[in-house]
Amino acid sequence: MRRYRRALRSEPVARFQEGFTLRCRVVGAPPHLVREGIRVRPAAGTDPNSAGELVFVVVGV
């Protein structure tokens, strides 16, 4: 959880099949539905609030 902002939010870690991991933000599902092994894809477009974050969208929820 990130604590030094106005709102708390989780910061998942995406593990790629190629063997690397990245901290990211996952959107498209409530936080309690984002579990280990859930499939994600890169988010399309730009979010002015993302401030350079890597953003993924949950697939199939």
Side-chain angles (χ1 to χ4, degrees):
M1 297 294 280
R2 207 173 222 183
R3 297 174 10 175
Y4 301 107
R5 293 187 180 219
R6 290 183 183 185
L8 291 177
R9 67 175 188 195
S10 63
E11 285 194 354
V13 174
R15 291 188 180 102
F16 293 85
Q17 292 177 351
E18 293 82 3
F20 59 91
T21 61
L22 294 172
R23 284 184 192 245
C24 62
R25 184 164 54 121
V26 176
V27 297
H32 67 278
L33 293 179
V34 178
R35 305 233 187 260
E36 184 175 336
I38 196 165
R39 298 194 57 84
V40 295
R41 64 177 171 78
T46 57
D47 179 4
N49 297 323
S50 67
E53 293 177 298
L54 186 58
V55 181
F56 289 98
V57 177
V58 174
V59 175
V61 172

